[in-house]
Amino acid sequence: MSERTVQHATIVVERTYDASPGRVFAAWTDPAIRILWDTPGQGWETTEFTNELRIGGRETSRFGPTGDPKYHSDGLNLDIVPNARIVAAGTMHDGDTRISTTLCTVELIPTGDGTRLILTDQSAYLDGRDNPVDRERGWSFILDNLGAHLRDALVDA
Amino acid sequence: MSERTVQHATIVVERTYDASPGRVFAAWTDPAIRILWDTPGQGWETTEFTNELRIGGRETSRFGPTGDPKYHSDGLNLDIVPNARIVAAGTMHDGDTRISTTLCTVELIPTGDGTRLILTDQSAYLDGRDNPVDRERGWSFILDNLGAHLRDALVDA
């Protein structure tokens, strides 16, 4: 049997957006909007995003370096409070190999005219193939992209 | 909108058993064995336990104070390494209310003639209806029961 290891970590990333909880919730949960902004790094692309927004509904994504979207995530919505909270669990794959499993909570808290988003990623990184440093960098990039999308969408509106 | 809160916590509980990883893995994953010993407290009962042991397979349980099994857990196996590791995600309900979501890793590490079990529970406790203190107490009770079962089963064998 090959050596098996698990590294557990909790990551919390927060951003405050100049947009209502309803707009942030829609940008997070509507696959047609989400795919516009959700890429985890410079020079990376997300080629697929699906989300069946109900308890037990499936959420999937495919992404990777541009031209090589070799990662895919396959998950499930566990808790949904419209415009306020989403908890999902899922597994990240590199090709066919499971590299991490994650419980991800997104909380949206109204703040004046805006929204404070608190993302809590509780993960088990499998066999040294994924790690919390890359994960935190990815989420930070993604949440900054969301901020840019919300600003641009407002200008366009 | 009613107030929504989430409390995140990671709990690690370890035990060493005088039994092979194969026996511990079977006791954990075979519903017919699991239901013999998996109760979370004195005066509590587990009335139902199911586990479809494949990636994406469903794991459910129903339990509560004897005569009132009002809690049920509904989850999914995310990672399985036979005799070595199980990662599952699930949601705990009190009646119809979701009270917590959990990513649970069980690692089985051979130690001489026995097995070290490391259980890591990464949970999001919802709206103050569940909490890490009760969860840790429950897992400790459950893992002690597993030890007693493995000793008794050995005497019977």
Side-chain angles (χ1 to χ4, degrees):
Chain A
M1 194 171 61
S2 61
E3 198 191 348
R4 296 294 188 162
T5 62
V6 186
Q7 178 184 8
H8 296 92
T10 300
I11 291 164
V12 181
V13 186
E14 297 194 23
R15 294 288 187 280
T16 298
Y17 300 119
D18 233 352
S20 66
R23 281 190 67 218
V24 179
F25 186 83
W28 194 270
T29 57
D30 182 336
I33 305 178
R34 177 82 172 255
I35 202 164
L36 298 176
W37 56 266
D38 183 347
T39 52
Q42 205 70 48
W44 285 50
E45 61 176 352
T46 298
T47 57
E48 181 194 307
F49 192 89
T50 72
N51 189 10
E52 196 186 350
L53 192 61
R54 59 171 181 81
I55 303 298
R58 203 170 165 207
E59 184 195 59
T60 68
S61 69
R62 177 168 289 282
F63 63 96
T66 302
D68 183 22
K70 61 181 180 174
Y71 299 101
H72 75 274
S73 167
D74 197 341
L76 218 64
N77 290 308
L78 299 185
D79 184 64
I80 300 168
V81 181
N83 304 332
R85 184 168 74 203
I86 310 150
V87 186
T91 305
M92 191 75 78
H93 305 75
D94 179 353
D96 292 333
T97 305
R98 294 183 295 280
I99 62 174
S100 55
T101 59
T102 298
L103 184 69
C104 183
T105 305
V106 174
E107 296 166 85
L108 303 178
I109 297 160
T111 58
D113 290 343
T115 301
R116 186 157 66 105
L117 184 155
I118 307 172
L119 184 149
T120 306
D121 175 308
Q122 296 168 285
S123 286
Y125 300 91
L126 307 176
D127 308 316
R129 293 194 171 94
D130 196 355
N131 67 81
V133 173
D134 287 346
R135 182 63 57 91
E136 182 158 19
R137 191 183 299 133
W139 279 130
S140 292
F141 194 88
I142 286 169
L143 294 187
D144 286 343
N145 282 354
L146 172 54
H149 164 79
L150 292 167
R151 279 192 302 275
D152 293 349
L154 199 60
V155 171
D156 293 345
Chain B
M1 193 170 62
S2 62
E3 199 191 349
R4 297 293 189 161
T5 61
V6 186
Q7 179 183 9
H8 296 92
T10 299
I11 290 164
V12 181
V13 187
E14 297 195 23
R15 293 289 187 277
T16 298
Y17 300 120
D18 234 353
S20 67
R23 280 190 67 218
V24 178
F25 187 84
W28 194 269
T29 57
D30 182 336
I33 306 178
R34 177 79 172 254
I35 202 162
L36 297 175
W37 56 264
D38 183 347
T39 52
Q42 205 71 50
W44 284 51
E45 62 176 351
T46 298
T47 58
E48 179 194 309
F49 192 89
T50 72
N51 189 9
E52 196 187 350
L53 192 62
R54 59 171 180 82
I55 303 298
R58 202 169 164 208
E59 184 195 58
T60 68
S61 69
R62 177 168 289 282
F63 63 95
T66 303
D68 183 21
K70 62 180 177 171
Y71 299 102
H72 75 274
S73 168
D74 197 341
L76 218 63
N77 290 308
L78 299 186
D79 184 64
I80 300 167
V81 181
N83 304 332
R85 184 168 75 203
I86 310 150
V87 186
T91 305
M92 192 74 81
H93 305 76
D94 178 353
D96 292 331
T97 304
R98 294 184 295 280
I99 62 174
S100 55
T101 58
T102 298
L103 183 69
C104 183
T105 305
V106 174
E107 296 166 84
L108 304 178
I109 298 160
T111 57
D113 290 343
T115 301
R116 187 156 67 104
L117 184 155
I118 308 172
L119 184 148
T120 305
D121 175 308
Q122 296 167 284
S123 286
Y125 301 92
L126 305 176
D127 308 316
R129 294 194 169 94
D130 195 356
N131 67 80
V133 174
D134 288 347
R135 181 65 56 91
E136 182 157 20
R137 191 183 297 131
W139 280 129
S140 293
F141 194 88
I142 286 170
L143 294 187
D144 287 343
N145 283 353
L146 172 54
H149 165 79
L150 291 167
R151 278 192 304 275
D152 293 351
L154 198 61
V155 171
D156 294 343

